[in-house]
Amino acid sequence: MSKQDNGGTEEGMRSLAVVRHHDGKSLPDLDRVAEETPVALVFKMMATPLDLERLAVGFALSEGIVGRRAEIFDVEAGFVTGGAEVRLEIAQPAFLALKGRRRSLEGRSGCGVCGIESLALLDLAPGPMAKPARPVIAEAAAIARAAAELPAHQRLMRATGCAHAAAWCGRGGEVKAVFEDVGRHNALDKLIGWLALEGMDPGDGFAFMSSRASYELARKCARAGIPLLATISAPTSLAVDIARRSGVALASFCRHNGFVEYTA
């Protein structure tokens, strides 16, 4: 996209009125200066328009756009014609790395492969977590409590029948926060963004999802440092593989009276 600056000079420069001082003389003149301007980085996503700042921060963290919360300087959400817009101001090294990834990052409410130019660009190795996950078998009572408490917090699901939920649960299984979205990945990103914005320790609880356990959810938990992912429905084989390699404990088919442990 071309841009014509106010001074009529080449793109990327501005022509400014200056006063040159030399040998005791002062003369008005024009000078060219390199242009520096804020650039908004906007991701196009399909999502439920709730908790948008948390969604953007969680997405940036869980997708590796930034490595830590401190690399996000500002986040601002607003509604525009036909949708909503969230603008992130991120550190320059993170922005340069993002350009080098050559990924369109056009997120949808469906699969996590959307928007990737090549299967070779899929991030299937998030690396081991800094802290090993605690044994899932010790969490039986906590998982049962989370399964029992979650439905009462699913306001959007009760009203529409069309929303996934990502719950943040304490060590005892008490549901502390719930984020809903038409996309399960978006719901988890909102949870991750909330943890980051609130400065909470992701190792001090676990994520409970009302969906199946797809590979993206396991990868996002690994990158966010969430030690346990519990889901109501089944996992995929790739989700199990990623959870095992990264050290995320994975429990699925979670009910009030039991679950299946996949990472023992």
Side-chain angles (χ1 to χ4, degrees):
M1 180 177 65
S2 61
K3 172 180 178 295
Q4 182 69 31
D5 62 81
N6 294 332
T9 61
E10 298 92 333
E11 185 177 355
M13 305 181 217
R14 292 184 63 189
S15 183
L16 300 177
V18 298
V19 177
R20 298 189 186 275
H21 299 266
H22 184 68
D23 289 336
K25 299 179 181 179
S26 300
L27 299 174
D29 200 358
L30 293 177
D31 193 21
R32 293 177 179 178
V33 296
E35 192 169 16
E36 182 179 28
T37 186
V39 176
L41 185 65
V42 180
F43 305 126
K44 182 180 178 183
M45 307 185 73
M46 297 297 291
T48 301
L50 298 171
D51 303 300
L52 293 180
E53 292 91 347
R54 293 162 178 165
L55 170 63
V57 171
F59 182 83
L61 288 166
S62 69
E63 291 296 325
I65 296 169
V66 296
R68 52 198 176 94
R69 167 67 179 88
E71 292 182 291
I72 301 174
F73 300 147
D74 189 35
V75 56
E76 181 179 351
F79 289 92
V80 297
T81 302
E85 188 172 273
V86 186
R87 295 178 179 268
L88 290 177
E89 182 183 352
I90 64 175
Q92 183 75 358
F95 175 71
L96 294 176
L98 174 61
K99 288 180 63 178
R101 286 173 58 181
R102 299 185 66 243
R103 174 175 176 171
S104 70
L105 287 172
E106 183 177 340
R108 295 174 174 86
S109 57
C111 73
V113 180
C114 301
I116 298 180
E117 295 177 350
S118 167
L119 289 178
L121 295 179
L122 279 172
D123 179 9
L124 301 181
M129 293 177 56
K131 298 179 181 179
R134 54 194 183 277
V136 179
I137 197 64
E139 308 294 341
I143 290 176
R145 179 176 178 180
E149 290 187 6
L150 177 59
H153 297 271
Q154 293 180 264
R155 178 188 61 83
L156 194 59
M157 180 62 181
R158 288 198 305 273
T160 67
C162 183
H164 291 292
W168 181 245
C169 305
R171 289 180 180 270
E174 65 277 18
V175 174
K176 296 187 173 183
V178 175
F179 302 93
E180 292 184 280
D181 199 282
V182 291
R184 61 183 182 275
H185 322 111
N186 296 338
L188 182 56
D189 278 335
K190 290 176 180 180
L191 187 156
I192 292 172
W194 173 74
L195 288 174
L197 290 170
E198 296 296 320
M200 300 182 67
D201 181 5
D204 199 30
F206 63 95
F208 191 94
M209 302 286 302
S210 66
S211 66
R212 65 185 175 93
S214 59
Y215 88 89
E216 304 98 317
L217 300 186
R219 185 194 64 189
K220 288 175 182 292
C221 285
R223 183 169 278 136
I226 296 173
L228 168 60
L229 171 63
T231 66
I232 287 179
S233 192
T236 66
S237 61
L238 191 52
V240 175
D241 290 343
I242 290 178
R244 287 177 174 176
R245 292 203 304 268
S246 63
V248 173
L250 177 61
S252 294
F253 297 108
C254 295
R255 302 291 189 272
H256 71 280
N257 59 350
F259 60 90
V260 178
E261 181 180 1
Y262 288 88
T263 49

